[in-house]
Amino acid sequence: MATLTFLTSSPSAKPTLPTLTEPTLSLLSSKSRSLPFSLLKTSTLTLTQTQRLPPLKSSSSTPDDLSPITQISAPITLKSRLHNGDTLYGLFLLSFSPTIAEIAGLVGYDFVVIDMEHGPGSFSDTLPCLRALAATNTPAILRLPESSPVWAKKGLDLGPQGIMFPMIESAKEARKAVSYCRFPPRGIRGSAHTVVRASNYGMDAGYLSNYEDELLIMCQVESEQAIEKIDEIAAVDGVDCIQMGPLDLSASMGYLWDPGNKKVREMMRKAEKGVLESRRNGEGEGGGAFLAGFAMPHDLPDDLRTRGYHMVSGAVDVALLRNTFVEDVNKFKMGSMNGSDADNNDGDEEYWSE
């Protein structure tokens, strides 16, 4: 047994070396023994020289798997926040830019959807965006190009916190989507959990025990036919969210250029009512699905929240950039048409001053 006695820092204390017993000195390098410390009061840390570090654990590992020193609470996931009653606000990432993904995480979006359905990116483009979001502790949801076991398997192996299946038309298709996310015997997902990013490349000992509880499965309902069966889709075990698709819905109804049409809005209200009632009634083994959706110019984020949406996607990164660029160019061109005010430099001085 070796004992290390150290002192906590004080701004006024004179830098000295910590007091060490002889057995402890053998545990430290010569370089570490030469470091100065500011010291005030003593406390003792006892180490067993033969003690070995526990294997790397997921934050979701069960308490029995963790030592008292490394034990931490279960992670706060999108799914747990929804069950706690939170309303989440997110962004769709269509550019596949890791820089924009990082900024989105830093400014405080609750989640970012990496859009492989309509964006130009592949899985190799997705990975840097996932890493950028992880650096800001922002959950990522991956929207797949189509609902298939191969796309789901490759996407889930990258380790997003949520996965979104487009164009789900029935409860049968929803059950298939859930099966793509689960390992046998509960599903048909192929397994490479010993080496993929989702399990910290095999170092997350709790992955197989917890991945179902932590993964958010979202099914998009985007057609008039699907809305007729939306209560059945929402009741499927494993479906956590129903994501409304207003643009494709309007197209399926013959109003591609008019998503704000009265008939489209009425169909949207019918779908919303079906999901919310399913949730209130606790239908299905999962207790019903949460309601998620896109904001539109005629249907703003606060409107969705007021109507009971639990997840609101307020914008697409490309659209935000487009609007900002258009505004910037128009402002300059309008200024050149109206003439510049050479005598008014206050704005420039404020902009460039430090």
Side-chain angles (χ1 to χ4, degrees):
M1 184 77 71
T3 303
L4 166 63
T5 304
F6 62 96
L7 303 178
T8 55
S9 64
S10 167
S12 60
K14 182 178 179 181
T16 60
L17 288 173
T19 303
L20 303 172
T21 63
E22 187 60 31
T24 305
L25 290 174
S26 63
L27 301 177
L28 305 175
S29 67
S30 59
K31 181 178 179 180
S32 64
R33 291 201 300 270
S34 66
L35 294 175
F37 295 89
S38 296
L39 309 171
L40 179 60
K41 53 186 181 179
T42 66
S43 59
T44 300
L45 174 66
T46 301
L47 298 172
T48 303
Q49 288 178 325
T50 58
Q51 181 180 2
R52 301 179 64 179
L53 291 176
L56 184 62
K57 300 289 184 182
S58 163
S59 58
S60 60
S61 298
T62 58
D64 290 342
D65 292 334
L66 300 173
S67 70
I69 293 176
T70 59
Q71 181 176 339
I72 58 178
S73 60
I76 299 175
T77 62
L78 291 174
K79 187 183 288 192
S80 67
R81 290 188 65 187
L82 288 170
H83 283 282
N84 286 337
D86 291 353
T87 300
L88 309 179
Y89 187 64
L91 174 79
F92 266 64
L93 188 79
L94 207 67
S95 67
F96 282 77
S97 165
T99 298
I100 295 177
E102 186 176 31
I103 293 171
L106 291 170
V107 300
Y109 284 106
D110 294 310
F111 63 91
V112 171
V113 179
I114 303 173
D115 190 359
M116 294 187 70
E117 183 184 15
H118 293 292
S122 63
F123 282 120
S124 59
D125 301 308
T126 299
L127 186 54
C129 296
L130 288 171
R131 288 172 173 157
L133 291 167
T136 66
N137 293 318
T138 303
I141 298 170
L142 191 59
R143 178 156 81 159
L144 299 177
E146 65 178 9
S147 180
S148 77
V150 174
W151 282 109
K153 174 176 61 178
K154 290 181 71 67
L156 290 170
D157 282 350
L158 292 181
Q161 202 175 108
I163 190 164
M164 188 184 298
F165 293 92
M167 288 291 181
I168 297 299
E169 299 286 304
S170 66
K172 180 179 179 180
E173 292 185 6
R175 281 190 288 271
K176 284 184 177 181
V178 172
S179 75
Y180 303 157
C181 300
R182 293 176 171 175
F183 296 116
R186 290 173 54 79
I188 61 170
R189 178 182 171 188
S191 178
H193 63 275
T194 56
V195 291
V196 295
R197 183 177 184 271
S199 64
N200 289 342
Y201 305 99
M203 293 182 285
D204 182 350
Y207 178 70
L208 291 180
S209 301
N210 300 296
Y211 79 94
E212 284 190 26
D213 294 332
E214 296 177 2
L215 178 66
L216 188 75
I217 300 176
M218 307 178 72
C219 289
Q220 280 195 260
V221 171
E222 308 177 79
S223 72
E224 193 172 4
Q225 292 75 17
I227 286 177
E228 296 298 331
K229 304 173 183 176
I230 198 166
D231 54 339
E232 299 174 13
I233 297 172
V236 170
D237 178 37
V239 174
D240 299 303
C241 280
I242 298 296
Q243 173 79 37
M244 298 304 304
L247 286 178
D248 282 309
L249 173 62
S250 64
S252 76
M253 297 177 65
Y255 299 102
L256 176 60
W257 300 106
D258 188 15
N261 186 278
K262 180 181 178 181
K263 291 184 178 179
V264 179
R265 293 201 306 270
E266 289 174 350
M267 188 60 67
M268 285 285 291
R269 300 301 179 272
K270 177 180 179 180
E272 294 162 2
K273 182 180 178 181
V275 176
L276 293 173
E277 286 185 353
S278 173
R279 182 74 197 165
R280 277 194 295 269
N281 297 334
E283 296 176 4
E285 293 183 33
F290 294 97
L291 182 61
F294 302 95
M296 302 285 286
H298 62 275
D299 204 7
L300 301 178
D302 277 338
D303 298 329
L304 298 182
R305 175 164 53 185
T306 300
R307 296 205 304 274
Y309 278 75
H310 308 97
M311 296 182 75
V312 176
S313 297
V316 178
D317 65 333
V318 172
L320 288 175
L321 286 169
R322 177 203 62 206
N323 295 343
T324 302
F325 293 166
V326 169
E327 181 183 4
D328 183 55
V329 171
N330 287 343
K331 194 177 294 185
F332 178 81
K333 290 184 176 180
M334 292 299 294
S336 64
M337 289 174 61
N338 297 331
S340 60
D341 186 357
D343 295 329
N344 184 8
N345 295 322
D346 293 344
D348 291 339
E349 290 175 359
E350 181 180 350
Y351 182 85
W352 292 110
S353 62
E354 302 229 349

